[in-house]
Amino acid sequence: MDVRRLMIADGSDVVRKVGRRILSGMGFLVSEAPSSLEALVRCEAELPNILIVDAGLDGALDLIGNIRRLPEGASVRIYYCVVQADLKKMMAGKRAGADDFLLKPFDRKILTSVFAGQSMAA
């Protein structure tokens, strides 16, 4: 059983730290990227199993598309993070290649319900 790698791409230090604390506690190996560019560079070096991309990040949709074009990019589970259930934003995320959505601000309850059982590779 491998520990699953999860990356949080979000411009907010606070959001990344809260996410890291909660998800690390659930058994994920969490990395952070404060920008789309840094997230892409890190993904090119080592793809995470799960990527959380903030919709407010500059280049968020490009980042999702670029990840999908990487050799193993189709295997990454991408969550597009929106502040409210904004259908237009969510559809744009879906078209770019996101698998699912997360509503912000996320807290322990949301993250636990979404990611429980996903921290170990089957």
Side-chain angles (χ1 to χ4, degrees):
M1 289 260 259
D2 289 330
V3 171
R4 300 196 28 111
R5 291 186 311 279
L6 182 147
M7 180 186 290
I8 301 171
D10 195 301
S12 161
D13 290 348
V14 173
V15 169
R16 291 195 316 272
K17 280 190 177 43
V18 167
R20 172 189 281 262
R21 195 167 57 238
I22 295 168
L23 292 160
S24 296
M26 291 170 64
F28 286 100
L29 195 61
V30 181
S31 60
E32 303 174 33
S35 69
S36 293
L37 185 62
E38 191 168 324
L40 184 59
V41 168
R42 287 175 174 212
C43 286
E44 285 170 340
E46 186 179 33
L47 267 184
N49 304 103
I50 299 170
L51 175 64
I52 298 173
V53 178
D54 177 41
L57 200 62
D58 270 352
L61 296 172
D62 289 338
L63 171 62
I64 295 171
N66 288 329
I67 300 298
R68 288 294 183 226
R69 285 190 284 280
L70 293 175
E72 298 292 313
S75 69
V76 181
R77 184 143 183 89
I78 299 178
Y79 288 85
Y80 194 52
C81 218
V82 292
V83 176
Q84 71 265 3
D86 176 338
L87 210 58
K88 241 168 79 179
K89 249 191 188 134
M90 291 165 85
M91 290 313 298
K94 202 84 173 145
R95 277 196 302 273
D99 295 297
D100 216 333
F101 304 96
L102 269 179
L103 285 180
K104 279 175 88 170
F106 42 67
D107 57 22
R108 184 174 299 277
K109 204 170 101 196
I110 293 170
L111 292 178
T112 305
S113 71
V114 172
F115 296 109
Q118 289 190 48
S119 61
M120 289 291 175

